[in-house]
Amino acid sequence: MDQEYYLELSENPVQFENASSVNNVFFDEANKQVFAVRSGGATGVVVKGPEDKSPIAFRMDDKGEVKCIKFSLGNKILAVQRTPKSVDFTNFIPDFPHLEFSHECKTKNANVLGFCWTNWNEIVFVTDQGIEYYQVLPDKRSLKMLKSQSINVNWYIYCPETAVLLLSTTVQGNVLQPFAFKNGTMSKMPKFEIELPMVPKPAKISLSERDIAVSTIYGQLYVMYLKHQSRSTNSSGAEVVLYHLPREGAFKKTHILKLNTTGKFALNVVDNLVVVHHQSSQTSIIFDIKLREPDCAVNVHQPVLPARSIHPYKIPLTGYLWYLQVKLQPTVNLLQDKGKLMDFLLRRRDCKMVILSVCSQMLDGGEKGNLPVIATVFDKLNQVYKEYLEAEQAYTVALESGPSRFSSSYKRPVRTQAVIDQSDMYTHVLSAFTENKDVSHKFIIAVVMEYIRSLNQFQITVQHYLYELVIKTLVQHNLFYMLHQFLQYHVLSDSKPLACLLLSLESTYPPAHQLSLDMLKRLSTANDEIVEVLLSKQQVLGALRFVRSVGGHDNVSARKFLDAARQTEDTMLFYTIFRFFEQRNLRLRGNPAFNPGEHCEEHNSYFKEVFGEQTLMKSAAV
């Protein structure tokens, strides 16, 4: 059996032809760009990114080896570091001179370790003695100091998503000092210490830049520490320790990811999953920090899925850079616990069709499909569905309350693929399931009713087409007694479409007619529909009695009833209906005759033809 690969490389990698002639390659995480630098006389640079339709290519004077090169946000200004003391800048803004200018760090005897763009015109120099925060003035070809901070720095890591810079300080390097940048301001966040593994004396261990990563997971900033266990400890292997780093408040160790092996590792975060690559086995494992025990200070996690290699890929002799992607379909067979599988899938980006396929597979097992498990899955889906409906409703209420109460920061809730509504379930799962001849009708009814129960539990209005599925299945198998009970005890909620469906079943199940009328009466807003139903069944007197019972007989259309009476070809019935409306006219207007606007001339002529003109009522004496 082929291995189930749940990790793959993106279909459109960043590709460089003649990669052998490239002297240096730099990756800019903020802009997701790769810089290929070729030296020799002038320095040639090609910049590519996965989203770029065409690469950016330019040449620079060869002023020495390029140590770091990055565009500011939007490719407006290029920054290049060639020496430990300064950074060179070039404008790429249209209509600005394409000239280079340079800026030296201000701290005496300091060496520039690197730099980070925090905005299109704001940059941070990181030196071994601190940080210098500048505003770049492209028109003046100069930099303006915004703020600086003196601190001994071993190395640094920058998270462009949150504009948070992490500095490693102290001899062991395990005290980390974060700084946050926003709109020209720099904020010093509380420093924290990474717990290093215990080693026997006199050996010492220090924190390496290679063992730290910073990323946003489920909207929160985490520092990830790859903790290698010492050989002297009786440990099961290395682990990744996650520290939550809030904007305000103290940092906290929140998660430990057990790798259960030793060796060299690399980390990625893909679709809010922590992916750990193991070099010697050439396999990867994934962790989902939301799959955890509640109310635990520190959650210990095992891999969600068994270790697997990334899907093999044939690589020609060119340079490549890929995005790593998670394939969800193979995870279905690797996670046997359906509740856990659903928790995992609901948090993924492209999950809808995989979730619906899981539901279909689960139901196609017939009685083998455990109904309590199916109920759990429905509840998980409808909880997400309900949360979205509530957010949408809150947004609508806020919008309708007017500008005084509606904040511009209040954004319309995004409908993610995790929102599986009734239409999705009906179209992709239940409609085909109810037609499955290999599954018993009892199980079909139980499953659909279980879905309806779940919707009711989350106070979601059930759409009539789900009730129709139940009714059609019951009728198909002649389970009229069960249909009667479902309606009698209001298991199936009243609605006009449902009442109409019941009416259509009268020829198969005669009591359905009365059940339909009873339902329409309970709806109270369906009086017109009841009248139309009764008239269509030629129950003209019954329709008239109903109109009188709800007090609508003074406003009802005479022509509609007279048309229906004529169609019965019962002359005495027509006489009765005609006489009723004559009496109504007399009572309301003092004259039994019909007004021209009522368009009853044809019926008036018919009455005179059959019963004689002398039979018409006379006006009341004045």
Side-chain angles (χ1 to χ4, degrees):
M1 182 178 176
D2 290 340
Q3 186 180 14
E4 296 277 7
Y5 298 104
Y6 54 77
L7 290 170
E8 65 179 359
L9 303 174
S10 56
E11 292 182 359
N12 300 310
V14 177
Q15 180 179 349
F16 290 99
E17 303 295 339
N18 303 317
S20 58
S21 65
V22 174
N23 300 90
N24 278 307
V25 175
F26 300 90
F27 177 59
D28 176 13
E29 189 175 355
N31 287 319
K32 301 291 187 291
Q33 290 175 324
V34 182
F35 290 74
V37 180
R38 295 179 173 92
S39 300
T43 302
V45 181
V46 178
V47 187
K48 288 186 177 182
E51 309 301 326
D52 297 336
K53 293 182 179 178
S54 57
I56 302 170
F58 55 90
R59 303 184 79 80
M60 305 183 298
D61 292 337
D62 194 347
K63 297 180 179 179
E65 181 188 354
V66 174
K67 298 181 182 299
C68 184
I69 181 168
K70 296 176 189 175
F71 269 118
S72 70
L73 302 181
N75 301 335
K76 288 184 168 58
I77 305 169
L78 179 71
V80 183
Q81 183 191 352
R82 297 183 176 93
T83 74
K85 300 295 182 184
S86 65
V87 177
D88 302 325
F89 297 88
T90 305
N91 286 328
F92 274 73
I93 304 171
D95 302 326
F96 273 71
H98 195 74
L99 298 173
E100 193 175 276
F101 56 100
S102 186
H103 190 87
E104 284 194 9
C105 67
K106 296 301 182 187
T107 309
K108 193 176 180 181
N109 300 324
N111 290 320
V112 177
L113 302 177
F115 60 85
C116 312
W117 286 104
T118 62
N119 206 332
W120 78 267
N121 65 340
E122 293 168 11
I123 194 169
V124 182
F125 287 11
V126 183
T127 74
D128 54 4
Q129 295 182 32
I131 55 176
E132 300 173 6
Y133 185 30
Y134 292 102
Q135 181 183 18
V136 182
L137 306 172
D139 53 339
K140 297 180 180 179
R141 292 172 34 222
S142 64
L143 274 68
K144 173 187 173 184
M145 171 76 78
L146 296 175
K147 203 168 184 179
S148 63
Q149 178 77 43
S150 295
I151 184 173
N152 288 328
V153 181
N154 302 311
W155 46 263
Y156 72 96
I157 291 178
Y158 180 63
C159 178
E161 286 179 282
T162 56
V164 169
L165 177 65
L166 215 59
L167 305 178
S168 162
T169 67
T170 71
V171 177
Q172 288 185 288
N174 64 324
V175 175
L176 301 180
Q177 175 62 65
F179 290 88
F181 300 87
K182 188 176 183 180
N183 300 329
T185 62
M186 181 177 84
S187 307
K188 187 178 182 181
M189 300 167 68
K191 65 182 178 182
F192 60 97
E193 184 175 342
I194 298 288
E195 299 173 15
L196 297 175
M198 298 290 291
V199 293
K201 294 181 180 180
K204 288 186 178 179
I205 190 170
S206 61
L207 185 64
S208 166
E209 179 182 359
R210 295 189 301 271
D211 296 332
I212 291 290
V214 185
S215 188
T216 302
I217 308 173
Y218 292 117
Q220 299 296 316
L221 183 61
Y222 287 91
V223 176
M224 298 182 286
Y225 167 44
L226 182 55
K227 187 176 183 181
H228 298 276
Q229 300 298 339
S230 63
R231 294 175 182 175
S232 60
T233 58
N234 296 322
S235 169
S236 60
E239 56 193 32
V240 178
V241 184
L242 268 64
Y243 295 86
H244 179 218
L245 193 59
R247 282 276 179 175
E248 297 178 0
F251 86 103
K252 206 163 46 171
K253 182 166 79 170
T254 52
H255 302 276
I256 296 174
L257 315 182
K258 291 289 188 180
L259 306 186
N260 304 316
T261 187
T262 58
K264 292 184 179 180
F265 301 92
L267 298 177
N268 282 118
V269 173
V270 183
D271 201 5
N272 291 311
L273 296 169
V274 180
V275 184
V276 184
H277 310 283
H278 186 226
Q279 187 181 56
S280 60
S281 68
Q282 297 185 357
T283 60
S284 305
I285 50 177
I286 62 174
F287 296 87
D288 186 349
I289 63 172
K290 281 282 182 84
L291 293 178
R292 59 184 175 84
E293 296 297 325
D295 305 322
C296 290
V298 179
N299 288 277
V300 179
H301 300 262
Q302 293 294 335
V304 177
L305 301 170
R308 291 288 188 268
S309 298
I310 297 172
H311 197 288
Y313 199 101
K314 289 184 178 180
I315 305 174
L317 293 175
T318 52
Y320 280 87
L321 181 94
W322 284 272
Y323 274 129
L324 186 65
Q325 298 174 164
V326 177
K327 293 170 62 180
L328 294 181
Q329 194 61 50
T331 68
V332 172
N333 298 324
L334 296 172
L335 255 177
Q336 297 303 316
D337 184 327
K338 289 294 186 287
K340 190 175 180 182
L341 172 64
M342 207 51 61
D343 287 337
F344 175 80
L345 292 175
L346 282 167
R347 299 188 184 103
R348 307 286 73 84
R349 193 181 298 115
D350 300 317
C351 62
K352 176 168 284 189
M353 296 315 296
V354 179
I355 288 174
L356 292 169
S357 72
V358 169
C359 292
S360 293
Q361 290 171 21
M362 193 168 57
L363 300 185
D364 285 343
E367 275 73 8
K368 295 176 185 177
N370 195 334
L371 204 57
V373 174
I374 293 169
T376 299
V377 168
F378 286 160
D379 287 347
K380 289 181 182 294
L381 297 180
N382 288 328
Q383 183 173 0
V384 176
Y385 181 22
K386 177 64 173 178
E387 288 169 359
Y388 170 75
L389 291 175
E390 287 179 339
E392 184 73 28
Q393 185 180 16
Y395 174 82
T396 304
V397 170
L399 196 62
E400 291 173 350
S401 64
S404 59
R405 293 187 182 182
F406 185 76
S407 170
S408 58
S409 62
Y410 202 114
K411 295 181 180 178
R412 183 168 197 153
V414 177
R415 180 172 182 143
T416 67
Q417 287 208 14
V419 178
I420 309 291
D421 63 18
Q422 296 173 68
S423 175
D424 295 324
M425 188 61 70
Y426 174 83
T427 304
H428 298 284
V429 180
L430 295 177
S431 57
F433 169 63
T434 55
E435 300 296 325
N436 191 339
K437 304 299 182 184
D438 297 327
V439 181
S440 76
H441 61 270
K442 291 181 180 178
F443 184 65
I444 289 173
I445 294 165
V447 166
V448 180
M449 291 308 298
E450 193 58 52
Y451 183 62
I452 290 171
R453 173 212 56 80
S454 180
L455 291 168
N456 285 325
Q457 179 178 313
F458 287 96
Q459 298 179 320
I460 300 171
T461 303
V462 181
Q463 295 298 316
H464 65 85
Y465 47 74
L466 293 175
Y467 291 135
E468 288 176 11
L469 268 185
V470 177
I471 292 175
K472 287 178 179 177
T473 306
L474 291 171
V475 170
Q476 191 177 353
H477 295 90
N478 297 318
L479 298 172
F480 297 113
Y481 69 94
M482 191 178 289
L483 170 60
H484 209 108
Q485 286 185 320
F486 279 178
L487 293 166
Q488 187 176 356
Y489 296 105
H490 307 297
V491 175
L492 306 177
S493 298
D494 296 344
S495 72
K496 292 179 184 179
L498 200 58
C500 292
L501 176 62
L502 287 171
L503 274 176
S504 69
L505 298 174
E506 184 183 6
S507 59
T508 309
Y509 182 54
H513 175 69
Q514 190 58 46
L515 288 170
S516 170
L517 288 182
D518 292 342
M519 183 178 289
L520 289 169
K521 287 176 184 176
R522 288 194 298 271
L523 287 168
S524 72
T525 58
N527 293 342
D528 291 342
E529 283 83 355
I530 294 174
V531 171
E532 293 295 340
V533 166
L534 291 170
L535 291 178
S536 69
K537 299 293 180 182
Q538 297 192 340
Q539 297 181 22
V540 187
L541 282 177
L544 198 55
R545 289 192 199 100
F546 174 75
V547 169
R548 294 189 68 177
S549 71
V550 295
H553 53 292
D554 284 349
N555 302 312
V556 76
S557 165
R559 180 179 174 178
K560 179 186 291 186
F561 279 78
L562 291 169
D563 283 346
R566 280 280 298 276
Q567 287 173 6
T568 66
E569 298 181 353
D570 184 338
T571 54
M572 291 313 298
L573 174 63
F574 179 79
Y575 178 89
T576 304
I577 299 301
F578 191 91
R579 188 65 83 199
F580 170 83
F581 283 106
E582 276 191 319
Q583 290 170 347
R584 184 188 74 168
N585 296 341
L586 186 63
R587 176 169 50 83
L588 295 178
R589 301 196 301 268
N591 188 334
F594 293 98
N595 284 336
E598 293 181 89
H599 305 292
C600 291
E601 294 83 2
E602 179 188 346
H603 297 301
N604 200 61
S605 299
Y606 177 75
F607 186 89
K608 288 190 290 185
E609 178 186 329
V610 176
F611 301 105
E613 187 171 352
Q614 71 281 2
T615 317
L616 292 170
M617 288 184 67
K618 304 293 187 247
S619 300
V622 179

